[in-house]
Amino acid sequence: MRVLLVGAGGVGTAVTRIAARRKFLTHMVVADYDLTRAEAAVAALGEQGDRFTARRLDASDGGAVRRMLAEHRCDVLLNATDPRFVMPLFEAALAAGTHYLDMAMSLSAPHADRPHEECGVKLGDEQFGLAGRWEECGRLALVGMGVEPGLSDVFARYAADELFDDIEEIGVRDGANLTVEGYDFAPSFSIWTTIEECLNPPVVFEKDRGWFTTAPFSEPETFDFPEGIGPVECVNVEHEEVLLIPRWVDARRVTFKYGLGEDFITKLRTLHELGLDSTAKVTVPGANGPVAVSPRDVVAACLPDPATLGDRMTGKTCAGTWVKGTRDGKEREVYLYHVVDNEWSMREYGSQAVVWQTAINPVVALELLATGAWEGRGVLGPEAFPARPFLDLLTEYGSPWGLREEG
């Protein structure tokens, strides 16, 4: 399989380190707007880097993306950029006739009049709007194939296929006990994406009501995470799983809750109150005259790059899916989960836990597509495919998952 990887940040770099150990990969072009980042990702592979090439690429330039796909005879485009570039890359892959895979979906827009009650444009709406064209050309766009969304959706499909006869509720629950030495505020993932997820109105799905929204940080609950992480307060956050899971898995309610913590929530609210979460550009003085900048991009530039924090980070991160329903006429609750210890991921791969946990899942999916264990066409989420091959291969990669019976 020949892959164009767009984005050589923390997740993209971790993708190269994981993929370099797998034989299914024929060649990977590592492309980034900053050529030095792409070159650094390839150089870090050492002798394993002979199947990798670094290139400069502007993800917003559809023509350039199509030319690179053609020049390197790529079978699939793997998008490891932030969600702003989903649609340009998604459309470029469609036009080029290649498959496509991402870890975050096209952006949402709140309802104009009732943002905390009704959905406006939902996450992924733009992509699903083009599903017919993907089906017609016989190509696959596998969307939301990171860890959350991604592995969490695979867990939902596994629960429906093998653990439950009837599902009342599916709730994705994410928590960690990660700390970063020397920083009072250092998000372990892209702050641009974190702001987008956490300050947009969260979406909830109920079978009798469909999709609807609530206020940010609503419905707080304490969830006890496994492997020593312990109790973490989680709140509703906008996330793709709520938009994906109900399309393929029959459940009466679907939610996503993130363990943010009071301090993190306070800082996000402050950014919002000051308008620093905005993506609309403002004009500021510059050395050579006025410069137009996005406040959110300024916030991101002022914070440390999450990819560089691994050496100062300690603790574990947990992604998982809690499911409640019945099996053989009896009530059942389980939590399917995946935990990564930062000390382990740094030692084994040189990548901090959160970006590594995100990166492993698209590589597993690519291998399943390369071998034919997964196949499809159109715009599909992870839960559209059988879960067992994915979970077995994830374990083969040396990163096992767990199942905890609740109650």
Side-chain angles (χ1 to χ4, degrees):
M1 174 177 278
R2 301 182 66 85
V3 179
L4 171 60
L5 169 66
V6 184
V11 173
T13 296
V15 163
T16 65
R17 294 172 181 178
I18 297 165
R21 303 186 184 190
R22 305 302 298 183
K23 294 181 180 180
F24 80 91
L25 182 71
T26 304
H27 195 83
M28 178 175 283
V29 180
V30 184
D32 196 280
Y33 189 79
D34 181 351
L35 178 59
T36 60
R37 290 209 307 181
E39 290 174 335
V42 173
L45 299 175
E47 294 181 357
Q48 292 181 317
D50 59 344
R51 292 176 292 160
F52 294 78
T53 302
R55 291 288 185 269
R56 184 189 181 281
L57 181 65
D58 180 350
S60 67
D61 186 341
V65 176
R66 293 194 300 273
R67 288 191 294 273
M68 190 162 289
L69 286 166
E71 177 187 350
H72 294 277
R73 297 175 286 110
C74 295
D75 304 297
V76 59
L77 187 159
L78 172 55
N79 177 3
T81 63
D82 73 52
R84 287 175 291 182
F85 301 105
V86 163
M87 288 311 295
L89 293 172
F90 180 82
E91 292 173 341
L94 175 61
T98 63
H99 301 296
Y100 170 89
L101 192 153
D102 65 30
M103 292 164 269
M105 296 172 66
S106 60
L107 293 171
S108 64
H111 190 279
D113 302 315
R114 294 167 53 85
H116 298 157
E117 292 84 24
E118 298 182 28
C119 296
V121 177
K122 300 188 298 300
L123 290 169
D125 274 357
E126 287 187 87
Q127 290 174 286
F128 282 113
L130 295 175
R133 289 180 55 193
W134 281 89
E135 292 175 10
E136 289 169 6
C137 73
R139 294 291 182 267
L140 171 66
L142 175 50
V143 296
M145 192 60 257
V147 60
E148 291 172 344
L151 179 56
S152 51
D153 304 72
V154 173
F155 284 148
R157 173 65 186 266
Y158 176 75
D161 285 351
E162 301 196 28
L163 303 180
F164 290 85
D165 299 319
D166 179 75
I167 295 177
E168 178 182 337
E169 184 170 353
I170 296 174
V172 179
R173 299 292 183 265
D174 179 298
N177 61 0
L178 295 167
T179 59
V180 182
E181 181 185 358
Y183 289 96
D184 293 327
F185 185 59
S188 57
F189 202 70
S190 162
I191 188 61
W192 200 100
T193 303
T194 301
I195 289 173
E196 183 73 18
E197 293 175 348
C198 295
L199 293 178
N200 278 351
V203 180
V204 174
F205 174 84
E206 292 181 357
K207 195 169 185 178
D208 295 336
R209 186 175 174 183
W211 286 292
F212 62 93
T213 57
T214 69
F217 315 120
S218 58
E219 299 181 4
E221 67 173 62
T222 298
F223 192 86
D224 187 19
F225 289 92
E227 298 194 22
I229 295 174
V232 179
E233 185 178 71
C234 299
V235 294
N236 278 328
V237 169
E238 180 190 49
H239 232 250
E240 288 90 342
E241 290 96 323
V242 180
L243 288 312
L244 286 170
I245 290 172
R247 296 175 187 267
W248 289 281
V249 177
D250 188 14
R252 286 187 285 282
R253 193 168 197 262
V254 182
T255 60
F256 178 96
K257 292 188 180 183
Y258 196 7
L260 296 172
E262 183 178 351
D263 180 64
F264 198 97
I265 291 173
T266 299
K267 286 181 169 64
L268 289 175
R269 282 179 167 152
T270 300
L271 290 174
H272 178 63
E273 290 165 2
L274 295 174
L276 295 175
D277 61 323
S278 175
T279 59
K281 291 187 176 181
V282 297
T283 301
V284 299
N288 298 312
V291 179
V293 296
S294 156
R296 192 185 300 186
D297 288 341
V298 173
V299 171
C302 290
L303 291 171
D305 181 350
T308 67
L309 297 176
D311 291 333
R312 297 189 176 197
M313 189 181 292
T314 57
K316 300 176 181 179
T317 185
C318 177
T321 303
W322 165 77
V323 186
K324 179 181 180 180
T326 59
R327 179 71 166 185
D328 297 327
K330 298 178 181 179
E331 292 185 356
R332 188 182 194 186
E333 284 185 53
V334 303
Y335 183 57
L336 299 147
Y337 63 89
H338 184 252
V339 172
V340 178
D341 186 320
N342 187 74
E343 181 182 356
W344 176 86
S345 65
M346 287 297 297
R347 182 179 67 250
E348 294 295 320
Y349 286 88
S351 296
Q352 57 103 320
V354 176
V355 298
W356 187 89
Q357 188 183 45
T358 303
I360 189 173
N361 297 287
V363 181
V364 171
L366 287 172
E367 183 160 347
L368 291 173
L369 294 172
T371 61
W374 274 12
E375 58 182 358
R377 64 181 185 178
V379 179
L380 302 177
E383 52 281 279
F385 300 88
R388 175 57 73 176
F390 188 100
L391 297 175
D392 288 346
L393 189 54
L394 180 66
T395 301
E396 183 186 310
Y397 272 53
S399 190
W401 54 282
L403 187 156
R404 183 180 70 186
E405 294 281 352
E406 305 288 278

